[in-house]
Amino acid sequence: DNEDTKHAAALALGRASVASMGTFLPGILSSLESSKGKKQYLLLSSLREFIHCCRETGGIALSSNIPLILPHLEKNCRNEEEGVRTMVAECLGSLACIEPKTILPVLEKLAKDDAEDKRLVHWTVGNAIKFAIGGHISSNDLSPFMPTFLLLLQEDDLAVKNVALLMVYSAVHHSPQLVAGLMKDQIIAQIYDLAQLNLERKVDLGPFKHTVDDALPLRKAALSVFATCLEKCPSSLDISSFMPVMAKALADVEDIQLQAHQVIISMCSRHPIPVVAAADSFVEPLDKTVNKKKGTKTGTELERVYEWIKSGLRVMIAISMLDGAMNNRKFADFVHRIQNSSKHEPFLKAVEEERN
């Protein structure tokens, strides 16, 4: 009954199937047809391990079995269990690397699926492409299909949008040439909108209400895509038009703020001109961050507030060292005010020591 033992057995079954396909593979596939839940997940783990091992040995022996495997994966693209769909996506991603000419048209068809449960299918397709890109699928094979897969960014379902953003992130990170030519028409406007999307709702928990922001993962993912584009394919971006988005991110919740701080600091060395031009729009959010109140916080919570303040100060210092930044009166006044503030002195000293 031990979960680790079950998982190890699933992997062992997958590996054994490579050496004896005729014996084990039909058994895995027929059991997959009749099982549900955890058992289904474990059988898909076996199948994933089998495909991975076949790929490592060149994948030749696998080709004739793809017609047997594919119907089971297609069927489970719409499985209600997210863990099962993730396994299906990994299997499809690996198969796409081995047999792109067979698998990519199937994934393209699934990306256009318009059934009632299409959100589950589209989520699985987005993940499969993300895994295929991470597995170094040939860009030449994948490129013709990318415009279809990028349409997933426009889906209404937030989980599908998020997976599509992670797919774009994977493409920019591993194979920028896959998306560089599609940035202007299919990606930038979506990144721009999703980086600013806010979907807060109140959840009633009896004695108190809790605010949940369903768009937070989308804003995080969109900022990650922008940051990676800055590094890998900056010429495909209109960096100046993204500066208002960065100003908003500086006023967002803690996670997004800290992410925005990292992006702006890296821009200071790579793309200083748009940063200097936007410096005054950063003053208000940075001012709030570096004057964060500690309230009654103690221990690790207090330490976190202090780190947050120092992160904001790092951004202020990085911008202040750029040519022309201190000619901006609003920004210069802000810098001088913080530098002459006794309560900021220990923080500034700590940041200065890091730099040295």
Side-chain angles (χ1 to χ4, degrees):
D1 288 340
N2 183 294
E3 290 302 317
D4 288 345
T5 307
K6 288 180 184 175
H7 191 64
L11 298 186
L13 177 59
R15 292 185 175 197
S17 306
V18 180
S20 192
M21 266 182 225
T23 307
F24 293 113
L25 187 60
I28 294 174
L29 296 175
S30 63
S31 298
L32 199 52
E33 188 65 39
S34 56
S35 62
K36 283 185 177 168
K38 184 68 186 173
K39 189 179 178 189
Q40 202 172 28
Y41 177 84
L42 288 166
L43 287 163
L44 282 163
S45 302
S46 299
L47 192 57
R48 180 191 64 172
E49 191 67 13
F50 165 70
I51 295 166
H52 278 335
C53 293
C54 282
R55 190 182 173 199
E56 281 171 15
T57 57
I60 297 143
L62 181 62
S63 299
S64 59
N65 288 296
I66 287 179
L68 300 174
I69 296 169
L70 209 46
H72 297 277
L73 296 177
E74 284 189 67
K75 182 182 172 185
N76 282 298
C77 276
R78 48 186 90 245
N79 194 298
E80 288 287 342
E81 292 282 330
E82 187 176 312
V84 168
R85 292 200 313 277
T86 301
M87 276 293 166
V88 169
E90 284 201 51
C91 290
L92 287 167
S94 286
L95 286 176
C97 294
I98 299 167
E99 287 281 341
K101 288 179 172 55
T102 305
I103 305 297
L104 288 172
V106 171
L107 288 170
E108 182 179 47
K109 183 172 154 246
L110 289 168
K112 294 173 178 174
D113 186 296
D114 208 23
E116 205 173 317
D117 55 1
K118 66 177 184 179
R119 64 186 176 81
L120 302 175
V121 180
H122 294 173
W123 184 93
T124 310
V125 170
N127 266 313
I129 297 302
K130 180 189 80 176
F131 287 129
I133 294 166
H136 305 292
I137 188 171
S138 151
S139 294
N140 289 341
D141 288 323
L142 182 53
S143 283
F145 298 92
M146 276 313 282
T148 300
F149 298 135
L150 287 171
L151 292 173
L152 297 176
L153 284 167
Q154 296 171 29
E155 295 276 323
D156 292 334
D157 187 81
L158 297 183
V160 175
K161 276 186 190 293
N162 195 41
V163 161
L165 281 171
L166 297 175
M167 175 188 75
V168 172
Y169 174 82
S170 188
V172 174
H173 184 73
H174 292 288
S175 306
Q177 69 277 18
L178 267 176
V179 286
L182 303 166
M183 278 285 174
K184 196 173 166 198
D185 292 337
Q186 281 193 275
I187 300 173
I188 295 297
Q190 294 293 328
I191 301 295
Y192 192 91
D193 291 344
L194 295 174
Q196 301 175 86
L197 186 63
N198 198 302
L199 294 170
E200 286 189 352
R201 59 189 167 91
K202 293 268 190 283
V203 179
D204 200 337
L205 298 172
F208 59 92
K209 284 186 166 59
H210 177 60
T211 304
V212 175
D213 183 355
D214 293 321
L216 181 59
L218 293 170
R219 297 204 298 282
K220 277 187 186 176
L223 265 186
S224 296
V225 172
F226 176 67
T228 313
C229 287
L230 281 172
E231 189 189 332
K232 301 279 187 176
C233 50
S235 59
S236 60
L237 294 174
D238 177 1
I239 296 170
S240 298
S241 72
F242 216 83
M243 290 300 101
V245 179
M246 293 312 300
K248 256 191 176 176
L250 289 173
D252 207 322
V253 295
E254 181 185 357
D255 284 3
I256 303 279
Q257 276 193 37
L258 296 174
Q259 200 180 354
H261 292 168
Q262 295 293 329
V263 175
I264 291 171
I265 286 170
S266 93
M267 285 183 74
C268 285
S269 56
R270 289 196 175 111
H271 309 282
I273 293 168
V275 175
V276 171
D280 61 347
S281 69
F282 298 161
V283 170
E284 212 169 299
L286 284 175
D287 201 354
K288 278 188 181 161
T289 298
V290 301
N291 285 300
K292 201 108 201 98
K293 298 210 170 11
K294 61 182 181 182
T296 56
K297 292 183 178 71
T298 56
T300 52
E301 282 206 332
L302 181 60
E303 198 54 46
R304 206 164 136 180
V305 172
Y306 287 166
E307 280 306 316
W308 197 351
I309 291 169
K310 284 196 287 187
S311 183
L313 290 172
R314 287 184 200 107
V315 177
M316 181 195 83
I317 292 166
I319 298 173
S320 71
M321 296 174 80
L322 299 178
D323 275 353
M326 296 302 276
N327 296 338
N328 180 312
R329 185 154 175 202
K330 188 177 176 182
F331 183 75
D333 286 350
F334 163 59
V335 174
H336 292 140
R337 180 160 42 83
I338 301 301
Q339 284 175 337
N340 294 321
S341 150
S342 56
K343 76 169 181 179
H344 289 99
E345 197 178 331
F347 296 113
L348 287 165
K349 196 174 174 189
V351 172
E352 197 55 47
E353 279 169 7
E354 287 170 5
R355 292 168 59 82
N356 298 332

